[in-house]
Amino acid sequence: MLLALGGIAAAQPAPAASLANSPVFVLNSLDADVSVIDPSNWRELKRIPTGKEPHHLYMTPDEKSIIVANALADSLTFIDPRTAEVQKTVRGIMDPYHLRFSPDMKWLVTAGNRLHHVDLYRWDGKDLTLAKRIPTGKTPSHIWIDSRSTTAYSTMQDSDELVAIDLQRQEIKWRIKTGPMPADVYGTADDKTVLVGLTGSDSVEVFDVSGDAPRSLRRIKTGAGAHAFRAAGDKRHVYLSNRVANTISKIDLTTLQVVANYPAPGGPDCMDVMAGGRFLLVTSRWARKLTIIDTESGQVARQVKVGKSPHGVWTLDHAAR
């Protein structure tokens, strides 16, 4: 059942109340542009042309820009998160499929999905300088960096591996086999455990990375096409999109168990959690829509038409991560 937002009754407050006026950004991978959505009425305001295949995005440490990674264009598009105006385009960034800043703000790490490498860029607050290009394995997919900014983890989608990269030495320190088609990766706050979504399966694989050698601990069954993570904002739970099952699973990080499931039609992919934690934004990859889920009612609250193959989604007014 769809719950209308905007003209909704008082019993179902619209998420716009917590979002103020900060726009929501959705990357349309096959249209090579970004949908800018006004959360006060859930209308698409405009499209921002980027480069070919924008898949993921990340915020600069000073929170003045969001960076859209255009994988096939070998470029990064910097956009003002408040005004949705393009600030600049940086070219010569080879195959930036996924990206993440280290917590100490010194490194930007990108995964070259089609070129089979991970790049380490130094960041001085303004410019990027390539420090090292590291050949990895087949099809590096997603990246996680530990809280100490010492280790970057990257999944290898087509060689079924998890790789750990020492950021100081700029080299691979270990690799371990995973289940089929590992995608997103998420680390616990104590840096001892890493979760990997197995898109070729129906589970999350849990690894102990606290020692010199990693160990696979268990698998958490979620749903077919287990894919992408997003912190729930309460420092205890994380959401996972199950792309084939058309569901979102909520995982308790203290017990490593699924505690809730939500419907998410159209091939759910990337997510963001709106300020306050109640409303979950998820791109419906095969339906050309942004889906808003009310986690209190457990229902789809609204869907917004966007472009072809929507992938990354982000807003400045998000819950804590």
Side-chain angles (χ1 to χ4, degrees), residues 139-162:
T139 324
S141 182
H142 289 64
I143 297 163
W144 178 266
I145 302 176
D146 70 352
S147 66
R148 298 167 295 166
S149 302
T150 61
T151 304
Y153 300 95
S154 180
T155 52
M156 301 294 121
Q157 179 179 312
D158 290 328
S159 57
D160 297 339
E161 296 174 293
L162 176 66

mmCIF file of all heavy atoms in Angstrom, residues 139-162:
data_model
loop_
_atom_site.group_PDB
_atom_site.id
_atom_site.type_symbol
_atom_site.label_atom_id
_atom_site.label_comp_id
_atom_site.label_asym_id
_atom_site.label_seq_id
_atom_site.Cartn_x
_atom_site.Cartn_y
_atom_site.Cartn_z
ATOM 1 N N THR A 139 37.243 -6.940 -10.884
ATOM 2 C CA THR A 139 36.081 -6.078 -10.663
ATOM 3 C C THR A 139 35.926 -5.610 -9.218
ATOM 4 O O THR A 139 34.991 -5.990 -8.510
ATOM 5 C CB THR A 139 34.785 -6.780 -11.117
ATOM 6 O OG1 THR A 139 35.034 -7.577 -12.272
ATOM 7 C CG2 THR A 139 33.718 -5.754 -11.455
ATOM 8 N N PRO A 140 36.855 -4.771 -8.738
ATOM 9 C CA PRO A 140 36.650 -4.164 -7.414
ATOM 10 C C PRO A 140 35.342 -3.392 -7.387
ATOM 11 O O PRO A 140 35.026 -2.660 -8.319
ATOM 12 C CB PRO A 140 37.865 -3.246 -7.246
ATOM 13 C CG PRO A 140 38.424 -3.060 -8.613
ATOM 14 C CD PRO A 140 38.068 -4.277 -9.393
ATOM 15 N N SER A 141 34.585 -3.573 -6.319
ATOM 16 C CA SER A 141 33.222 -3.049 -6.285
ATOM 17 C C SER A 141 33.056 -1.921 -5.275
ATOM 18 O O SER A 141 32.979 -0.758 -5.635
ATOM 19 C CB SER A 141 32.247 -4.191 -5.985
ATOM 20 O OG SER A 141 30.914 -3.748 -5.986
ATOM 21 N N HIS A 142 32.988 -2.237 -3.973
ATOM 22 C CA HIS A 142 32.731 -1.237 -2.940
ATOM 23 C C HIS A 142 33.890 -1.166 -1.952
ATOM 24 O O HIS A 142 34.681 -2.105 -1.835
ATOM 25 C CB HIS A 142 31.443 -1.572 -2.191
ATOM 26 C CG HIS A 142 30.204 -1.357 -3.008
ATOM 27 N ND1 HIS A 142 29.933 -2.073 -4.148
ATOM 28 C CD2 HIS A 142 29.144 -0.521 -2.837
ATOM 29 C CE1 HIS A 142 28.776 -1.684 -4.648
ATOM 30 N NE2 HIS A 142 28.276 -0.738 -3.874
ATOM 31 N N ILE A 143 33.938 -0.039 -1.233
ATOM 32 C CA ILE A 143 35.061 0.251 -0.335
ATOM 33 C C ILE A 143 34.541 0.600 1.050
ATOM 34 O O ILE A 143 33.509 1.268 1.201
ATOM 35 C CB ILE A 143 35.894 1.435 -0.873
ATOM 36 C CG1 ILE A 143 36.514 1.080 -2.234
ATOM 37 C CG2 ILE A 143 36.982 1.848 0.116
ATOM 38 C CD1 ILE A 143 36.989 2.301 -2.990
ATOM 39 N N TRP A 144 35.279 0.161 2.069
ATOM 40 C CA TRP A 144 35.077 0.601 3.449
ATOM 41 C C TRP A 144 36.442 0.923 4.032
ATOM 42 O O TRP A 144 37.431 0.224 3.749
ATOM 43 C CB TRP A 144 34.392 -0.476 4.295
ATOM 44 C CG TRP A 144 34.223 -0.062 5.727
ATOM 45 C CD1 TRP A 144 35.051 -0.313 6.784
ATOM 46 C CD2 TRP A 144 33.154 0.734 6.244
ATOM 47 N NE1 TRP A 144 34.563 0.256 7.929
ATOM 48 C CE2 TRP A 144 33.396 0.908 7.627
ATOM 49 C CE3 TRP A 144 32.009 1.289 5.684
ATOM 50 C CZ2 TRP A 144 32.533 1.634 8.446
ATOM 51 C CZ3 TRP A 144 31.162 2.003 6.503
ATOM 52 C CH2 TRP A 144 31.424 2.173 7.866
ATOM 53 N N ILE A 145 36.542 1.968 4.854
ATOM 54 C CA ILE A 145 37.804 2.341 5.505
ATOM 55 C C ILE A 145 37.590 2.338 7.009
ATOM 56 O O ILE A 145 36.593 2.869 7.502
ATOM 57 C CB ILE A 145 38.297 3.727 5.025
ATOM 58 C CG1 ILE A 145 38.471 3.717 3.502
ATOM 59 C CG2 ILE A 145 39.615 4.088 5.706
ATOM 60 C CD1 ILE A 145 38.865 5.065 2.921
ATOM 61 N N ASP A 146 38.518 1.753 7.746
ATOM 62 C CA ASP A 146 38.352 1.634 9.192
ATOM 63 C C ASP A 146 38.446 2.996 9.879
ATOM 64 O O ASP A 146 38.867 3.987 9.282
ATOM 65 C CB ASP A 146 39.357 0.640 9.784
ATOM 66 C CG ASP A 146 40.791 1.136 9.760
ATOM 67 O OD1 ASP A 146 41.077 2.191 9.163
ATOM 68 O OD2 ASP A 146 41.656 0.458 10.335
ATOM 69 N N SER A 147 38.028 3.059 11.140
ATOM 70 C CA SER A 147 37.933 4.324 11.867
ATOM 71 C C SER A 147 39.289 4.966 12.130
ATOM 72 O O SER A 147 39.377 6.167 12.375
ATOM 73 C CB SER A 147 37.196 4.107 13.195
ATOM 74 O OG SER A 147 37.956 3.269 14.056
ATOM 75 N N ARG A 148 40.352 4.176 12.068
ATOM 76 C CA ARG A 148 41.712 4.694 12.309
ATOM 77 C C ARG A 148 42.391 5.169 11.036
ATOM 78 O O ARG A 148 43.522 5.646 11.088
ATOM 79 C CB ARG A 148 42.546 3.611 12.978
ATOM 80 C CG ARG A 148 42.030 3.150 14.347
ATOM 81 C CD ARG A 148 42.724 1.876 14.784
ATOM 82 N NE ARG A 148 42.396 0.771 13.877
ATOM 83 C CZ ARG A 148 43.038 -0.387 13.841
ATOM 84 N NH1 ARG A 148 44.060 -0.594 14.650
ATOM 85 N NH2 ARG A 148 42.676 -1.333 12.996
ATOM 86 N N SER A 149 41.714 5.019 9.922
ATOM 87 C CA SER A 149 42.257 5.410 8.607
ATOM 88 C C SER A 149 43.543 4.657 8.270
ATOM 89 O O SER A 149 44.452 5.196 7.634
ATOM 90 C CB SER A 149 42.509 6.930 8.547
ATOM 91 O OG SER A 149 41.323 7.639 8.799
ATOM 92 N N THR A 150 43.614 3.401 8.673
ATOM 93 C CA THR A 150 44.795 2.589 8.387
ATOM 94 C C THR A 150 44.556 1.556 7.299
ATOM 95 O O THR A 150 45.480 1.185 6.576
ATOM 96 C CB THR A 150 45.268 1.846 9.650
ATOM 97 O OG1 THR A 150 44.238 0.964 10.106
ATOM 98 C CG2 THR A 150 45.609 2.831 10.761
ATOM 99 N N THR A 151 43.307 1.082 7.173
ATOM 100 C CA THR A 151 43.011 -0.012 6.260
ATOM 101 C C THR A 151 41.776 0.286 5.424
ATOM 102 O O THR A 151 40.745 0.708 5.953
ATOM 103 C CB THR A 151 42.779 -1.326 7.035
ATOM 104 O OG1 THR A 151 43.909 -1.603 7.857
ATOM 105 C CG2 THR A 151 42.549 -2.493 6.077
ATOM 106 N N ALA A 152 41.899 0.072 4.124
ATOM 107 C CA ALA A 152 40.755 0.145 3.217
ATOM 108 C C ALA A 152 40.399 -1.276 2.787
ATOM 109 O O ALA A 152 41.274 -2.056 2.412
ATOM 110 C CB ALA A 152 41.083 0.994 1.996
ATOM 111 N N TYR A 153 39.119 -1.602 2.866
ATOM 112 C CA TYR A 153 38.629 -2.904 2.432
ATOM 113 C C TYR A 153 37.883 -2.728 1.115
ATOM 114 O O TYR A 153 37.088 -1.803 0.963
ATOM 115 C CB TYR A 153 37.687 -3.501 3.476
ATOM 116 C CG TYR A 153 38.324 -3.709 4.825
ATOM 117 C CD1 TYR A 153 38.198 -2.752 5.834
ATOM 118 C CD2 TYR A 153 39.062 -4.855 5.099
ATOM 119 C CE1 TYR A 153 38.789 -2.940 7.070
ATOM 120 C CE2 TYR A 153 39.662 -5.049 6.337
ATOM 121 C CZ TYR A 153 39.516 -4.079 7.322
ATOM 122 O OH TYR A 153 40.112 -4.267 8.550
ATOM 123 N N SER A 154 38.124 -3.629 0.176
ATOM 124 C CA SER A 154 37.425 -3.581 -1.101
ATOM 125 C C SER A 154 37.004 -4.988 -1.511
ATOM 126 O O SER A 154 37.786 -5.934 -1.404
ATOM 127 C CB SER A 154 38.306 -2.977 -2.194
ATOM 128 O OG SER A 154 37.621 -2.920 -3.433
ATOM 129 N N THR A 155 35.765 -5.100 -1.970
ATOM 130 C CA THR A 155 35.274 -6.378 -2.468
ATOM 131 C C THR A 155 35.666 -6.542 -3.935
ATOM 132 O O THR A 155 35.747 -5.571 -4.688
ATOM 133 C CB THR A 155 33.754 -6.471 -2.342
ATOM 134 O OG1 THR A 155 33.160 -5.305 -2.942
ATOM 135 C CG2 THR A 155 33.338 -6.556 -0.886
ATOM 136 N N MET A 156 35.893 -7.782 -4.349
ATOM 137 C CA MET A 156 36.192 -8.120 -5.733
ATOM 138 C C MET A 156 34.994 -8.897 -6.290
ATOM 139 O O MET A 156 34.827 -10.087 -6.023
ATOM 140 C CB MET A 156 37.460 -8.969 -5.824
ATOM 141 C CG MET A 156 38.703 -8.300 -5.259
ATOM 142 S SD MET A 156 39.213 -6.847 -6.194
ATOM 143 C CE MET A 156 39.142 -5.594 -4.898
ATOM 144 N N GLN A 157 34.177 -8.211 -7.049
ATOM 145 C CA GLN A 157 32.875 -8.723 -7.468
ATOM 146 C C GLN A 157 32.960 -10.002 -8.296
ATOM 147 O O GLN A 157 32.121 -10.899 -8.153
ATOM 148 C CB GLN A 157 32.171 -7.628 -8.276
ATOM 149 C CG GLN A 157 30.818 -7.980 -8.822
ATOM 150 C CD GLN A 157 30.210 -6.811 -9.574
ATOM 151 O OE1 GLN A 157 30.196 -5.690 -9.091
ATOM 152 N NE2 GLN A 157 29.730 -7.069 -10.777
ATOM 153 N N ASP A 158 33.956 -10.095 -9.170
ATOM 154 C CA ASP A 158 34.010 -11.235 -10.077
ATOM 155 C C ASP A 158 35.079 -12.269 -9.732
ATOM 156 O O ASP A 158 35.154 -13.310 -10.388
ATOM 157 C CB ASP A 158 34.216 -10.757 -11.515
ATOM 158 C CG ASP A 158 32.990 -10.045 -12.064
ATOM 159 O OD1 ASP A 158 31.875 -10.412 -11.661
ATOM 160 O OD2 ASP A 158 33.146 -9.119 -12.888
ATOM 161 N N SER A 159 35.905 -12.000 -8.724
ATOM 162 C CA SER A 159 36.812 -13.043 -8.249
ATOM 163 C C SER A 159 36.432 -13.510 -6.844
ATOM 164 O O SER A 159 37.151 -14.311 -6.244
ATOM 165 C CB SER A 159 38.272 -12.562 -8.280
ATOM 166 O OG SER A 159 38.446 -11.389 -7.508
ATOM 167 N N ASP A 160 35.308 -12.997 -6.340
ATOM 168 C CA ASP A 160 34.754 -13.435 -5.056
ATOM 169 C C ASP A 160 35.786 -13.360 -3.938
ATOM 170 O O ASP A 160 36.131 -14.351 -3.293
ATOM 171 C CB ASP A 160 34.208 -14.867 -5.164
ATOM 172 C CG ASP A 160 33.053 -14.983 -6.145
ATOM 173 O OD1 ASP A 160 32.423 -13.954 -6.438
ATOM 174 O OD2 ASP A 160 32.794 -16.108 -6.618
ATOM 175 N N GLU A 161 36.255 -12.122 -3.691
ATOM 176 C CA GLU A 161 37.264 -11.903 -2.668
ATOM 177 C C GLU A 161 36.996 -10.611 -1.907
ATOM 178 O O GLU A 161 36.333 -9.696 -2.422
ATOM 179 C CB GLU A 161 38.661 -11.793 -3.289
ATOM 180 C CG GLU A 161 39.172 -13.041 -3.979
ATOM 181 C CD GLU A 161 40.483 -12.763 -4.681
ATOM 182 O OE1 GLU A 161 40.482 -11.988 -5.651
ATOM 183 O OE2 GLU A 161 41.518 -13.319 -4.247
ATOM 184 N N LEU A 162 37.540 -10.547 -0.705
ATOM 185 C CA LEU A 162 37.643 -9.313 0.065
ATOM 186 C C LEU A 162 39.129 -9.018 0.226
ATOM 187 O O LEU A 162 39.907 -9.889 0.629
ATOM 188 C CB LEU A 162 36.994 -9.468 1.436
ATOM 189 C CG LEU A 162 37.120 -8.274 2.394
ATOM 190 C CD1 LEU A 162 36.356 -7.070 1.855
ATOM 191 C CD2 LEU A 162 36.625 -8.647 3.791
#
